[in-house]
Amino acid sequence: MKEVVPNLLTKGINYLFPPVCGNCGDAIWDNTGICSDCWKDLTFISGTCCHSCGYPFELSHGGEMLCGECLHSPKSFDKCRAALIYNVHSKDMIIGFKHADKTHLTALFTRWLSSCGHETLGNADIIAPVPLHRRRLLRRRYNQSALLAHGLARLHRKRHVPSLLLRTKNTSSQGQFSMTGRWRNVRNAFVLNKKFEKDVDGKNVILIDDVYTTGATLDACARVLKKSGVASVSAIVLARVTKE
């Protein structure tokens, strides 16, 4: 009976104020966060991918293959995995989560991160978000990557350290730069929080971010952590850009 009452209450609230799809805005009759029509258009990354950056391969090549980009420019992080491809079907939902207060999507996105990052989550000592500069955080009021990191850490009972890294440069948005410009933009933009200098030596850290484009931001963060004595740095992101 104790479980029935809350369920009935939830159904009543959903009937009066139905939740809406986080992508198209249509009403949905449960709290899954996304409607079935939008769900079928999303492209989740579940097959063979680059062992380093997680770029999806069309064909399985066997073994731990690297994409051309990672062969040409090895990354500072050890491994990155993304839940889905960032494209016309997923971008509005992700932008809404990032800039339009659609934080109710956190639980759904956390489950997606958990699914794509299961290989590395078991060995994680610390889960931390890619940080925002304090000025941007004040303007936006929340760090979307920190929401995801907190949800993932709670789900897997891992230590969440939201301020492990600090963004010391108020960098411009990466979206306005070329590939080379993105790397320049985040160079020396991050430092390890001095409060955790003695906590990271020999630890396995997982970084959380929303979108992977060139990997420049994650690489800059991983470089700082590796110099601070971290044993391994993996990354789990909500979506990643592909060449298509």
Side-chain angles (χ1 to χ4, degrees):
M1 178 61 75
K2 290 182 179 180
E3 295 179 357
V4 172
V5 174
N7 287 338
L8 290 174
L9 182 60
T10 299
K11 289 181 180 179
I13 292 173
N14 287 345
Y15 179 78
L16 294 172
F17 307 100
V20 297
C21 173
N23 195 38
C24 69
D26 286 350
I28 52 179
W29 295 106
D30 53 39
N31 221 2
T32 55
I34 187 170
C35 70
S36 57
D37 287 337
C38 290
W39 173 272
K40 64 181 177 59
D41 289 331
L42 298 176
T43 304
F44 289 89
I45 301 174
S46 58
T48 306
C49 59
C50 172
H51 182 69
S52 176
C53 76
Y55 193 94
F57 294 139
E58 291 186 3
L59 300 175
S60 175
H61 302 280
E64 296 180 351
M65 298 291 293
L66 297 178
C67 67
E69 171 63 25
C70 288
L71 284 171
H72 180 262
S73 302
K75 304 298 186 292
S76 298
F77 51 81
D78 298 279
K79 181 185 294 186
C80 179
R81 292 295 178 263
L84 70 160
I85 290 176
Y86 186 83
N87 56 22
V88 67
H89 300 296
S90 62
K91 69 175 185 178
D92 288 346
M93 175 175 59
I94 295 171
I95 291 173
F97 173 67
K98 185 174 183 177
H99 295 292
D101 293 333
K102 292 187 177 181
T103 56
H104 62 280
L105 292 169
T106 302
L108 176 66
F109 291 165
T110 296
R111 293 196 296 271
W112 293 353
L113 292 174
S114 176
S115 179
C116 76
H118 67 276
E119 293 179 358
T120 54
L121 283 163
N123 295 324
D125 297 305
I126 295 172
I127 295 179
V130 170
L132 289 177
H133 189 271
R134 60 183 179 275
R135 290 182 183 174
R136 187 169 298 178
L137 181 61
L138 184 63
R139 185 167 62 249
R140 193 181 297 174
R141 293 178 289 107
Y142 65 94
N143 178 357
Q144 73 283 352
S145 297
L147 294 179
L148 296 174
H150 177 262
L152 199 59
R154 185 175 181 180
L155 183 63
H156 290 269
R157 298 182 180 180
K158 300 294 183 178
R159 184 185 178 191
H160 176 224
V161 186
S163 58
L164 181 68
L165 290 169
L166 302 176
R167 197 168 195 139
T168 56
K169 290 171 59 179
N170 189 19
T171 55
S172 301
S173 174
Q174 289 282 72
Q176 63 183 287
F177 293 103
S178 64
M179 180 177 290
T180 303
R182 287 171 181 264
W183 288 82
R184 276 199 305 266
N185 188 43
V186 295
R187 187 178 300 154
N188 301 320
F190 304 96
V191 297
L192 179 71
N193 191 331
K194 291 183 178 181
K195 293 193 298 184
F196 304 108
E197 286 180 344
K198 297 181 179 179
D199 296 346
V200 299
D201 189 45
K203 302 296 185 181
N204 300 314
V205 175
I206 292 183
L207 292 172
I208 306 298
D209 205 3
D210 53 357
V211 179
Y212 181 115
T213 304
T214 63
T217 300
L218 288 172
D219 186 89
C221 291
R223 193 181 298 272
V224 170
L225 291 171
K226 288 289 185 71
K227 287 182 178 180
S228 302
V230 169
S232 71
V233 180
S234 298
I236 306 174
V237 300
L238 182 58
R240 67 157 299 140
V241 174
T242 58
K243 293 179 181 178
E244 290 77 19

